[in-house]
Every structure is written in C-alpha cells, then in structure tokens.
C-alpha cells in the first residue's frame, strides 16, 4: 500500500504546484510572474515523476 501512495504524492504535489504557478503567473506582474512560470515547470516535472513511478509499479506488478 505504501508504494501505491508514493506515486500519488508526486502527482498530487505536481498538480498543486502547477496550480499555484498558474495563479502567480496570471495574477501578478514582474518577478512574481517569473516565479509562477518556474513553479509550473517544477510542477510538471513532479507530475512526470509521479506518472513514471506509477508506470514502473504497474510493470512490477505484472
């Protein structure tokens, strides 16, 4: 059960970071807008890591 939770943590954290980044990019101007773009990129990477862990877990279960 713990392995299944590991990839979910990455996916949910990625979605959360992406949403914070979108809010910062759309709401603020200047330096904060750049921070929003960076958060969107980091969230995307977290999402990709989570999906990779999910794929690896499904492959190991077969």
């Amino acid at each position: 059960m713990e392995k299944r939770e590991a990839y979910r943590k990455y996916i949910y954290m990625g979605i959360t970071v992406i949403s914070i980044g979108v809010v910062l990019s759309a709401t603020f101007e200047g330096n904060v807008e750049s921070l929003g773009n960076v958060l969107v990129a980091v969230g995307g990477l977290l999402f990709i890591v989570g999906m990779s862990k999910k794929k690896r877990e499904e492959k190991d279960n077969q």
Side-chain angles (χ1 to χ4, degrees), residues 39-57:
L39 287 176
V40 169
V42 170
L45 288 174
L46 287 172
F47 191 82
I48 290 170
V49 167
M51 294 304 289
S52 175
K53 286 185 177 285
K54 180 180 178 182
K55 183 178 178 182
R56 187 176 301 144
E57 180 183 320

Side-chain angles (χ1 to χ4, degrees), residues 15 27 36-37 42-43 59:
I15 291 171
T27 306
N37 291 336
V42 170
K59 188 176 181 181

Side-chain angles (χ1 to χ4, degrees), residues 9-27 32-51:
K9 289 178 188 177
Y10 282 103
I11 293 174
Y12 292 141
M13 184 61 86
I15 291 171
T16 304
V17 172
I18 288 171
S19 63
I20 292 170
V22 168
V23 168
L24 289 177
S25 294
T27 306
V32 180
E33 185 178 6
S34 299
L35 176 64
N37 291 336
V38 170
L39 287 176
V40 169
V42 170
L45 288 174
L46 287 172
F47 191 82
I48 290 170
V49 167
M51 294 304 289

